[in-house]
């Protein structure tokens, strides 16, 4: 048996909807299935105005444009994230300022954000690693105090909640990913939830290549023209047809992924308690969507041994992100590995375990393989 790191879940009823989209005569963005996804995100993610876009990368870029980031501006974000979070900042000519993570969630260390604020800071851009929402309230308070924008990179956390509120509802800008590797996927896709009423009108212009085309579609004027900057931040309706099914099936997706999370908790928690390794402690304020499960070993060498032993059993864990500050791009921006020692150290010891909905059928094999490896490494 082979256990890959990820496998996208498929619901056969999406096939019929894709054909319907193809035959509809209107396959571009914001058509029938796009509108259904938007209504769904309003209802279930509590978003004021969600925009379906081609990827989370695009959502972050649209958010950076909306926030009017400019050359010379600084944006505070964790180094432990994907390149897209930092690229959205760089593409506006602004500078990423990397912050350490905290070890129980690998999310941004909110206690260290204040010390990174300078007169040039314009935005705080945290992520929700592994689907566990970051502690947003302290950052919203700092942003309010210093007049900063806040964008939440929620690429991994669709379906999670923070203090009882759905991710998507409580930060001014929230970017979701619907990439193949995420819980809810249409191959490539994303959404930007705009919750600041002052930004919604302009979001439509940015989404439609800087034109006021939407006003024509609404019957408010009879021609549209170039009125702002923008790009093509739209998702084709065939993909929205796939996505609406994935959003409607979210409870089932989370339930099945939850069975895998529970199995991992049973296997790894005892080793966590003995200090042999570390797994996430989900804070009281959060309910996770079971997107990912990570293990941080105490030694880099333990990670190498674990990866080797799992691959010998045809199981494919993955090392996760490589910290951005010590990447070649990070170095170009003046960072050295020792600038964020905790992130650097965790980045060399962390592993992400296979996690996808259909894995619930292979849990016996997987648990046996994993417990054998853990026993070999750390004793019974
Ligand atoms: C935190 C984070 N942001 C952004 C992205 C990019 O998402 P997408 O592939 O939808 O552009 C990812 C992808 O894994 C991610 O983990």
């Amino acid at each position: 048996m082979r256990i890959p790191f990820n496998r996208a879940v498929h619901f056969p009823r999406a096939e019929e909807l894709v054909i319907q989209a193809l035959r509809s005569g209107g396959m571009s963005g914001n058509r029938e299935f796009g509108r259904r996804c938007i209504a769904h995100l309003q209802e279930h993610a509590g978003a004021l105005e969600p925009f379906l876009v081609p990827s989370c990368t695009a959502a972050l870029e649209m958010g950076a444009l909306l926030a009017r980031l400019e050359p010379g501006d600084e944006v505070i974000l964790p180094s432990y994230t994907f390149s897209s979070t930092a690229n959205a900042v760089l593409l506006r000519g602004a500078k990423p300022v990397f912050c350490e993570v905290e070890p129980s969630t690998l999310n941004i260390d909110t206690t260290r954000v204040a010390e990174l604020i300078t007169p040039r800071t314009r935005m705080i851009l945290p992520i929700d690693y592994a689907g566990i929402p970051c502690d947003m309230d302290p950052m919203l308070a700092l942003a309010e105090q210093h007049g900063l924008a806040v964008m939440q990179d929620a690429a991994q956390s669709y379906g999670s909640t923070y203090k009882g509120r759905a991710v998507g509802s409580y930060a001014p800008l929230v970017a979701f990913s619907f990439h193949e590797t995420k819980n809810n996927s249409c191959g490539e896709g994303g959404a930007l939830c705009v919750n600041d009423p002052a930004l919604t009108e302009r979001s439509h212009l940015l989404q439609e290549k800087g034109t006021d085309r939407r006003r024509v579609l609404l019957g408010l004027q009879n021609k549209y023209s170039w009125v702002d900057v923008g790009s093509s931040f739209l998702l084709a309706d065939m993909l929205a047809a796939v996505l609406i099914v994935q959003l409607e099936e979210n409870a089932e997706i989370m339930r099945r992924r939850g069975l895998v999370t529970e199995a991992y908790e049973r296997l790894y928690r005892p080793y966590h308690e003995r200090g042999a390794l570390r797994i996430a402690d989900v804070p009281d304020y959060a309910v996770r969507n079971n997107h990912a499960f990570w293990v941080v070993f105490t030694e880099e060498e333990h990670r190498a041994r674990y990866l080797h032993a799992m691959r010998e059993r045809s199981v494919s864990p993955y090392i996760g992100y490589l910290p951005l500050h010590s990447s070649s791009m990070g170095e170009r921006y003046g960072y050295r590995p020792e600038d964020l020692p905790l992130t650097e150290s965790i980045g060399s010891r962390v592993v992400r375990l296979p996690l996808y909905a259909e894995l619930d059928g292979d849990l016996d094999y997987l648990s046996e393989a994993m417990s054998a490896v853990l026993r070999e490494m750390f004793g019974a």
Side-chain angles (χ1 to χ4, degrees):
M1 179 177 302
R2 291 208 150 267
I3 309 268
F5 177 66
N6 180 58
R7 197 183 142 76
V9 64
H10 171 56
F11 298 95
R13 79 179 167 96
E15 293 166 17
E16 208 179 295
L17 301 194
V18 171
I19 292 170
Q20 222 174 294
L22 286 168
R23 291 178 178 162
S24 67
M27 302 186 287
S28 61
N30 295 331
R31 305 300 289 241
E32 181 188 340
F33 293 106
R35 287 197 287 264
R36 276 174 61 181
C37 290
I38 288 167
H40 193 97
L41 292 172
Q42 282 173 323
E43 191 183 338
H44 296 268
L48 176 66
E49 201 101 44
F51 292 82
L52 284 193
V53 298
S55 61
C56 183
T57 302
L60 293 164
E61 289 171 15
M62 183 169 156
L65 268 170
L66 259 181
R68 299 183 190 272
L69 291 184
E70 285 178 2
D73 291 344
E74 292 179 357
V75 175
I76 299 170
L77 69 158
S79 162
Y80 199 67
T81 182
F82 195 63
S83 56
S84 300
T85 324
N87 276 334
V89 175
L90 290 180
L91 285 168
R92 304 264 50 82
K95 182 183 166 204
V97 173
F98 294 118
C99 184
E100 282 279 26
V101 289
E102 58 86 24
S104 64
T105 58
L106 306 193
N107 281 333
I108 196 166
D109 185 344
T110 56
T111 65
R112 294 188 180 212
V113 173
E115 69 204 40
L116 298 174
I117 295 176
T118 73
R120 289 183 297 280
T121 308
R122 285 289 312 281
M123 179 187 265
I124 306 175
L125 176 46
I127 79 159
D128 297 339
Y129 187 58
I132 299 177
C134 63
D135 191 6
M136 187 57 86
D137 280 351
M139 290 182 284
L140 289 173
L142 272 177
E144 167 106 51
Q145 196 185 330
H146 296 270
L148 309 176
V150 175
M151 177 153 65
Q152 180 179 8
D153 181 342
Q156 306 187 347
S157 57
Y158 180 76
S160 298
T161 60
Y162 172 69
K163 299 186 180 174
R165 292 173 282 166
V167 171
S169 66
Y170 52 84
L173 297 168
V174 185
F176 286 126
S177 173
F178 302 123
H179 183 262
E180 175 186 298
T181 49
K182 304 304 184 293
N183 288 22
N184 317 81
S185 159
C186 58
E188 303 274 357
L192 180 69
C193 300
V194 179
N195 293 318
D196 178 349
L199 297 177
T200 52
E201 188 73 27
R202 185 162 180 253
S203 306
H204 290 284
L205 309 179
L206 299 194
Q207 184 183 39
E208 279 283 10
K209 302 96 177 167
T211 73
D212 53 3
R213 178 167 180 261
R214 179 165 180 268
R215 293 179 63 79
V216 175
L217 299 176
L218 291 174
L220 298 172
Q221 53 197 54
N222 57 17
K223 60 180 191 300
Y224 65 88
S225 66
W226 184 27
V227 293
D228 206 327
V229 292
S231 191
S232 186
F233 290 121
L234 292 140
L235 188 75
D237 219 40
M238 290 84 79
L239 292 179
V242 177
L243 184 60
I244 187 62
V245 177
Q246 296 261 331
L247 296 177
E248 287 173 358
E249 296 288 344
N250 192 39
E252 179 62 3
I253 292 172
M254 276 177 35
R255 186 192 67 77
R256 293 183 69 184
R257 299 179 76 104
L259 298 175
V260 185
T261 304
E262 281 165 23
Y264 287 159
E265 279 286 339
R266 280 194 298 276
L267 276 169
Y268 289 85
R269 182 67 63 187
Y271 291 93
H272 169 97
E273 268 150 25
R274 279 165 48 187
L277 46 79
R278 182 159 202 163
I279 59 175
D281 284 316
V282 182
D284 289 343
Y285 62 66
V287 176
R288 63 176 156 188
N289 64 355
N290 302 310
H291 174 61
F293 197 98
W294 52 259
V295 177
V296 175
F297 292 98
T298 56
E299 321 268 335
E300 203 172 334
E301 187 256 334
H302 288 178
R303 172 167 88 168
R305 268 179 69 193
Y306 177 86
L307 286 173
H308 180 76
M310 292 314 308
R311 283 175 192 149
E312 275 193 328
R313 289 162 172 84
S314 304
V315 178
S316 300
Y318 180 63
I319 56 169
Y321 301 136
L322 293 172
L324 297 186
H325 78 280
S326 53
S327 65
S328 56
M329 272 299 273
E331 278 174 15
R332 264 166 62 185
Y333 283 85
Y335 278 93
R336 291 157 307 154
E338 58 272 27
D339 290 338
L340 283 87
L342 184 61
T343 300
E344 193 60 17
S345 163
I346 288 174
S348 70
R349 293 180 285 122
V350 65
V351 161
R352 267 180 60 181
L353 307 186
L355 214 171
Y356 47 93
E358 286 163 8
L359 192 48
D360 60 356
D362 295 331
L363 281 178
D364 289 346
Y365 172 81
L366 187 61
S367 301
E368 220 162 278
M370 285 181 169
S371 40
V373 170
L374 291 170
R375 271 200 311 274
E376 244 170 60
M377 289 180 64
F378 304 114

